[in-house]
Amino acid sequence: QENDFQTWYSVSLNKKIIKQTNLTLKTGLRLRENSSLYAKQFTDIKIKHKYNKHISYALGYRYINKWDIALSISDQNRFYADLNYKNKLTKRFSYAVRNRWQNQGDLFEYKMTLRQKLSLYYNIKKTKLNSGISTEYSLTLENAINKLRSTISLEYPLSKNLDFELAYRIQQEFYVNNPKTLFILEGKLVYNL
């Protein structure tokens, strides 16, 4: 088993294109080996439609540059579809469920994965801070659950259109040789056009 500390960074632009439909462009960088080497760089485009106040769905594509241990770069494509449900429990508590079906690979091989993420959010009283905890598992056709992510996060609006999120995540792998446990510090900027 291997342990590693990683840092993940991303910047997103959101734009409402028609009623109840948003387009998101996101770019990200991930560092591994105690945040000293490149792991991944990606560009993601997603269109999301809000069906009603609880349900939304999305289609997306991600282009990924992935660095291996020898620092050779390989390219991958990810196609995905999301089905989301969110609801308020109280004025300050809410929860969300995201189901994602993704197909990811290179020119020679693609792998289908189901990812389900369960999140609980709390708006901290008398502040602009939103806190969250979530857990996400990945399920492939070959294995049972092969990856588990647990996250705690804080989100703060820097301005009317700009939000910053800081998160700490633990990711565990299963059913692979030398399973990795990653300890991840993540920073996100989200700008709403």
Side-chain angles (χ1 to χ4, degrees), residues 16-49:
K16 183 177 180 178
I17 51 176
I18 56 175
K19 186 178 180 183
Q20 307 288 1
T21 304
N22 287 358
L23 182 68
T24 301
L25 180 63
K26 178 178 181 180
T27 186
L29 177 66
R30 297 180 179 178
L31 302 176
R32 62 181 166 87
E33 306 294 330
N34 293 322
S35 299
S36 63
L37 297 174
Y38 290 125
K40 287 182 184 176
Q41 185 277 324
F42 65 85
T43 302
D44 190 294
I45 188 164
K46 174 173 70 173
I47 189 164
K48 183 176 181 180
H49 180 74

Side-chain angles (χ1 to χ4, degrees), residues 129-173:
L129 280 172
N130 284 312
S131 60
I133 58 170
S134 66
T135 188
E136 178 182 8
Y137 67 85
S138 297
L139 177 70
T140 63
L141 297 176
E142 300 86 27
N143 302 323
I145 294 174
N146 67 346
K147 191 184 293 182
L148 183 66
R149 288 180 175 169
S150 301
T151 305
I152 58 171
S153 63
L154 282 175
E155 183 181 328
Y156 185 79
L158 298 175
S159 68
K160 182 181 175 184
N161 296 329
L162 184 64
D163 294 331
F164 175 71
E165 184 179 323
L166 185 65
Y168 181 73
R169 174 175 296 127
I170 298 173
Q171 176 177 295
Q172 299 168 290
E173 285 184 314

Side-chain angles (χ1 to χ4, degrees), residues 9-169:
Y9 308 96
S10 67
V11 176
S12 299
L13 297 173
N14 293 328
K15 173 72 174 162
K16 183 177 180 178
I17 51 176
I18 56 175
K19 186 178 180 183
Q20 307 288 1
T21 304
N22 287 358
L23 182 68
T24 301
L25 180 63
K26 178 178 181 180
T27 186
L29 177 66
R30 297 180 179 178
L31 302 176
R32 62 181 166 87
E33 306 294 330
N34 293 322
S35 299
S36 63
L37 297 174
Y38 290 125
K40 287 182 184 176
Q41 185 277 324
F42 65 85
T43 302
D44 190 294
I45 188 164
K46 174 173 70 173
I47 189 164
K48 183 176 181 180
H49 180 74
K50 192 174 178 181
Y51 179 71
N52 60 33
K53 74 177 190 173
H54 298 296
I55 297 171
S56 63
Y57 49 89
L59 291 173
Y61 168 75
R62 177 175 290 190
Y63 177 74
I64 304 164
N65 297 118
K66 188 175 181 180
W67 284 265
D68 65 13
I69 291 175
L71 297 181
S72 298
I73 298 175
S74 62
D75 298 329
Q76 292 187 329
N77 298 292
R78 175 186 294 175
F79 302 92
Y80 62 91
D82 294 347
L83 179 61
N84 305 287
Y85 179 82
K86 67 177 183 177
N87 201 356
K88 283 192 171 187
L89 296 169
T90 66
K91 183 179 178 181
R92 299 202 172 278
F93 275 106
S94 63
Y95 68 94
V97 179
R98 185 201 69 197
N99 294 293
R100 171 172 287 177
W101 294 268
Q102 75 180 36
N103 202 12
Q104 180 171 314
D106 55 23
L107 290 175
F108 306 105
E109 181 182 8
Y110 278 82
K111 183 165 70 171
M112 179 69 89
T113 305
L114 168 65
R115 295 169 55 183
Q116 187 172 61
K117 182 178 180 181
L118 309 167
S119 304
L120 181 64
Y121 301 101
Y122 178 70
N123 174 254
I124 300 172
K125 194 172 185 177
K126 296 184 180 177
T127 71
K128 295 180 180 180
L129 280 172
N130 284 312
S131 60
I133 58 170
S134 66
T135 188
E136 178 182 8
Y137 67 85
S138 297
L139 177 70
T140 63
L141 297 176
E142 300 86 27
N143 302 323
I145 294 174
N146 67 346
K147 191 184 293 182
L148 183 66
R149 288 180 175 169
S150 301
T151 305
I152 58 171
S153 63
L154 282 175
E155 183 181 328
Y156 185 79
L158 298 175
S159 68
K160 182 181 175 184
N161 296 329
L162 184 64
D163 294 331
F164 175 71
E165 184 179 323
L166 185 65
Y168 181 73
R169 174 175 296 127

